[in-house]
Amino acid sequence: MKSLRPIQIDLGSQSYEVRFEPLQHLPERMKSCGLSPGNCVVVTDKTVAHLHLSTLNRVLGHANWTPTVAEIPPGEASKSFTQLLRLQDFVLDSGVDRSTPLVAFGGGVVGDLAGFCAATVMRGIPLVHVPTTLVGQVDSSIGGKTAINHPSGKNLIGAFYQPCLVLADTGLLTTLPEREWNAGLAEVVKHALIRDRSLVRELHQSWSSLRAREEVILPGLLHSIASVKARIVASDLLEKGPRSYLNLGHTVGHALEQATCFQRYLHGEAVAAGLVVALRVSQERQPDVDWSEAWALVRELEFERPADVTFDLIRTAMGRDKKNVAGQRRFVLLRDIGRPEVVSDVTTDEIESAWNWMLMS
């Protein structure tokens, strides 16, 4: 893997680095952020464990770490109170103290659940993210958002808890199923849309290589995408301002996940549908903007149109969105590529019209 500069997330005493490096560098980087070899807890899911856990254990063992491994079932359903309690019991029973690191080794589900566990056990133990999915490497491992789902909505129970290190090895992405890869591309596209036209153009020009996961372009391109989120979260730790821009496509996306009981769509697939809706509403409100490059990129996303999901279900789910304030729906739109805004005057009719357009597009 080509050597890339670390992405520094400057949060004062909570600062940390995001590094795109081979897994073999993990012990060295853990040592650099003040962690001393000894016991650690690795949280992963059964799929990742089958593919990569032996490599991680070997890397940690050679550096005198003694990992204790907790495996959770793969999938969004694991972000639950039941799984959180089981994981907390496991971590406490493993004999941790407040210096024992928890290594989240997996995708967004593992990162969210393990991160919340790390935040709550002993009021906080060190957290290390080693993301193994595209979404994890460019988005969910960065910024300290940890959560589980609630029957009322997605990610409604959680905490902001920063890791001490994120190490992303793009080599781990080669085993990611095609559907998971395609879903992750939605977050990649979202980051480009809120950044600028040059990144949108670069991404579109590199799309075939990105789809093919060509190692020659992957680390550098994902580093650029991850830097978008890193820059935003460093300026807005608790999502009081510009961090909300990262929710482009997520209001409808989360609603679609909830309306289908978190069973049918991967997160990125739902976000892809949400991006089409948000871009359509943005275009309707800003008809004089040249949206051609944005549409050229968004149309590269592959996802199943939810033709059998009624808009009534989406409307109800949006009413429970955690981003709503004082009863008002907060919706992220684009004034132009690279000019996101949070608005509270998007009408249900606008969203329904864009939803129906998305189903037919």
Side-chain angles (χ1 to χ4, degrees):
M1 182 189 295
K2 179 183 176 181
S3 178
L4 297 165
R5 61 176 176 79
I7 302 170
Q8 180 70 30
I9 300 185
D10 190 1
L11 299 171
S13 62
Q14 300 180 73
S15 298
Y16 59 97
E17 292 180 338
V18 178
R19 286 183 170 267
F20 281 81
E21 294 181 348
L23 190 59
Q24 285 70 22
H25 291 190
L26 178 62
E28 176 187 353
R29 300 310 176 197
M30 291 172 67
K31 183 178 180 180
S32 295
C33 62
L35 299 175
S36 300
N39 293 329
C40 65
V41 176
V42 174
V43 181
T44 189
D45 68 33
K46 295 182 185 302
T47 301
V48 175
H50 174 72
L51 294 167
H52 301 297
L53 182 58
S54 61
T55 302
L56 177 66
N57 283 340
R58 184 169 60 253
V59 167
L60 291 172
H62 284 170
N64 298 318
W65 285 99
T66 304
T68 302
V69 180
E71 293 183 21
I72 65 171
E76 191 72 22
S78 284
K79 286 172 55 175
S80 67
F81 284 103
T82 300
Q83 285 296 334
L84 175 64
L85 182 58
R86 288 175 180 169
L87 185 56
Q88 289 169 329
D89 287 344
F90 179 91
V91 172
L92 291 170
D93 289 345
S94 70
V96 302
D97 59 37
R98 297 183 80 175
S99 67
T100 305
L102 187 154
V103 180
F105 187 51
V109 169
V110 168
D112 283 357
L113 177 67
F116 193 28
C117 179
T120 53
V121 167
M122 296 183 175
R123 296 194 297 273
I125 60 176
L127 173 64
V128 175
H129 279 298
V130 183
T132 63
T133 65
L134 181 55
V135 171
Q137 293 194 1
V138 302
D139 186 75
S140 61
S141 67
I142 303 168
K145 288 178 74 172
T146 72
I148 58 174
N149 298 327
H150 186 274
S152 296
K154 183 180 172 73
N155 293 338
L156 292 183
I157 309 297
F160 286 99
Y161 189 70
Q162 303 300 328
C164 54
L165 169 69
V166 178
L167 188 141
D169 182 349
T170 59
L172 298 173
L173 301 177
T174 59
T175 58
L176 200 63
E178 193 69 12
R179 184 185 175 194
E180 292 271 1
W181 181 261
N182 289 337
L185 290 173
E187 292 288 359
V188 172
V189 168
K190 178 204 73 178
H191 282 65
L193 289 173
I194 64 177
R195 181 64 182 101
D196 56 35
R197 285 185 180 272
S198 63
L199 187 53
V200 166
R201 195 171 297 127
E202 178 186 2
L203 196 56
H204 192 237
Q205 291 171 348
S206 305
W207 193 260
S208 60
S209 296
L210 182 60
R211 282 291 308 275
R213 311 184 208 187
E214 294 179 4
E215 186 63 23
V216 68
I217 64 102
L218 208 55
L221 191 55
L222 298 192
H223 182 281
S224 296
I225 295 296
S227 296
V228 175
K229 181 165 186 179
R231 182 167 47 251
I232 290 175
V233 299
S235 69
D236 182 16
L237 178 61
L238 300 179
E239 199 173 313
K240 303 296 185 182
R243 185 166 179 161
S244 297
Y245 299 157
L246 296 165
N247 290 315
L248 180 69
H250 282 59
T251 298
V252 169
H254 283 172
L256 178 56
E257 288 182 273
Q258 184 182 339
T260 52
C261 301
F262 304 105
Q263 298 294 318
R264 178 169 163 184
Y265 292 97
L266 299 176
H267 173 68
E269 293 170 331
V271 167
L275 285 175
V276 175
V277 171
L279 189 54
R280 177 66 175 177
V281 175
S282 298
Q283 182 180 39
E284 291 292 301
R285 287 186 164 216
Q286 308 290 341
D288 295 332
V289 170
D290 180 3
W291 296 104
S292 59
E293 288 182 309
W295 280 120
L297 184 58
V298 169
R299 287 191 177 108
E300 298 283 7
L301 297 173
E302 297 180 5
F303 64 98
E304 174 198 353
R305 264 54 176 181
D308 58 337
V309 179
T310 67
F311 186 73
D312 285 343
L313 291 173
I314 299 300
R315 180 191 295 111
T316 299
M318 287 193 301
R320 299 170 179 165
D321 194 285
K322 68 181 182 298
K323 298 180 290 297
N324 296 344
V325 175
Q328 287 190 313
R329 182 187 302 119
R330 299 171 77 240
F331 207 94
V332 183
L333 298 176
L334 297 173
R335 294 187 62 82
D336 197 346
I337 296 173
R339 294 182 59 197
E341 62 175 348
V342 180
V343 300
S344 55
D345 64 343
V346 176
T347 67
T348 300
D349 286 347
E350 285 180 285
I351 300 172
E352 183 173 12
S353 175
W355 172 267
N356 291 333
W357 186 89
M358 178 269 296
L359 295 180
M360 297 182 294
S361 65

